[in-house]
Amino acid sequence: GAGVSQSPRYKVAKRGQDVALRCDPISGHVSLFWYQQALGQGPEFLTYFQNEAQLDKSGLPSDRFFAERPEGSVSTLKIQRTQQEDSAVYLCASRRDTGSSYNEQFFGPGTRLTVL
Amino acid sequence: AQSVSQHNHHVILSEAASLELGCNYSYGGTVNLFWYVQYPGQHLQLLLKYFSGDPLVKGIKGFEAEFIKSKFSFNLRKPSVQWSDTAEYFCAVNVYYGGATNKLIFGTGTLLAVQP
């Protein structure tokens, strides 16, 4: 497809379960970002990849959150031992150029995670 | 820390009314500014962006925004709204510091409802 895709679109987890959220960026896009959007809030930065290198993970809220992009394309955001406060929409965005903000970030549809 | 403030959380307008949504950011250095829109059931899309040059930026669907550096503002305007403009609007800032991420910092969003 032409856009960023994410799967699953919806995920319900019991508290304490591990979850994995997938992002397929636009083909050829070097930069990949993960954001967390709580209800009624704007997206908040979690982490950034340039190709396979995770260059910034300053937004990850705890060590239960882990992201990877091993081949510089598809990325997975993993949340271990989910808590209710992890309930949010997780957005993935990709950008064409390396380190240049002159290109926009293209967003996927998000994964809505609900932790019961 | 850098932040973005959107003053209007909910706006209700009649068709053909004029729109202005406020956005202020707190950061004294170089910034790039964006407005994203999220139509019901769709993902975030770029409406317009400012990098440099003319502070009056024109975007898609008749939207424009003016960057006023002295006021740290980037307000979004449209002279005559349509029912199809019903959406949530997010202001975002991309800050430069130490050659790092270029992550986006978002405001909390403004829900616009246009009544036919």
Side-chain angles (χ1 to χ4, degrees), chain A residues 33 35 37 41-43 45 48 56 95 99 101-102 104-105 107-109, chain B residues 32 34 36 43-44 46 49 51 90 94 96 101-104 106-108:
Chain A
F33 300 80
Y35 293 85
Q37 186 175 16
Q41 301 296 316
F45 170 80
Y48 161 65
D56 188 344
R95 190 180 67 203
S101 65
Y102 285 80
E104 69 181 271
Q105 292 184 26
F107 283 82
Chain B
N32 300 140
F34 304 80
Y36 278 85
H43 55 275
L44 278 168
L46 184 68
K49 58 188 177 185
F51 289 110
F90 293 93
N94 187 135
Y96 291 88
T101 312
N102 299 317
K103 64 188 179 188
L104 291 174
F106 284 87
T108 53

Side-chain angles (χ1 to χ4, degrees), chain B residues 12-20 63 77-86 112-116:
Chain B
I12 301 173
L13 294 173
S14 298
E15 276 194 314
S18 64
L19 170 71
E20 180 160 3
F63 285 90
R77 299 194 293 250
K78 185 171 183 178
S80 176
V81 295
Q82 300 173 317
W83 177 78
S84 59
D85 293 326
T86 294
L112 171 66
V114 180
Q115 297 176 331

Side-chain angles (χ1 to χ4, degrees), chain B residues 2 9 23-24 26 31 34 40 45-46 48 52 63 71 78 82-83 92-93 97-98 104 106-109 116:
Chain B
Q2 301 86 15
H9 297 292
C23 173
N24 287 86
S26 63
V31 293
F34 304 80
Q45 302 171 43
L46 184 68
L48 49 78
S52 63
F63 285 90
K71 294 185 178 180
K78 185 171 183 178
Q82 300 173 317
W83 177 78
V93 170
Y97 54 103
L104 291 174
F106 284 87
T108 53

Side-chain angles (χ1 to χ4, degrees), chain A residues 54-112:
Chain A
Q54 188 175 20
L55 299 186
D56 188 344
K57 52 183 181 180
S58 62
L60 295 176
S62 77
D63 58 8
R64 296 186 295 103
F65 287 71
F66 172 76
E68 60 183 5
R69 194 187 184 197
E71 296 179 359
S73 179
V74 171
S75 178
T76 303
L77 176 67
K78 297 179 179 177
I79 309 174
Q80 297 177 325
R81 304 181 305 281
T82 52
Q83 304 294 315
Q84 285 188 322
E85 62 262 28
D86 300 335
S87 295
V89 176
Y90 291 86
L91 297 171
C92 176
S94 71
R95 190 180 67 203
R96 180 166 55 90
D97 283 345
T98 61
S100 167
S101 65
Y102 285 80
N103 304 107
E104 69 181 271
Q105 292 184 26
F106 291 85
F107 283 82
T111 295
R112 182 178 297 277

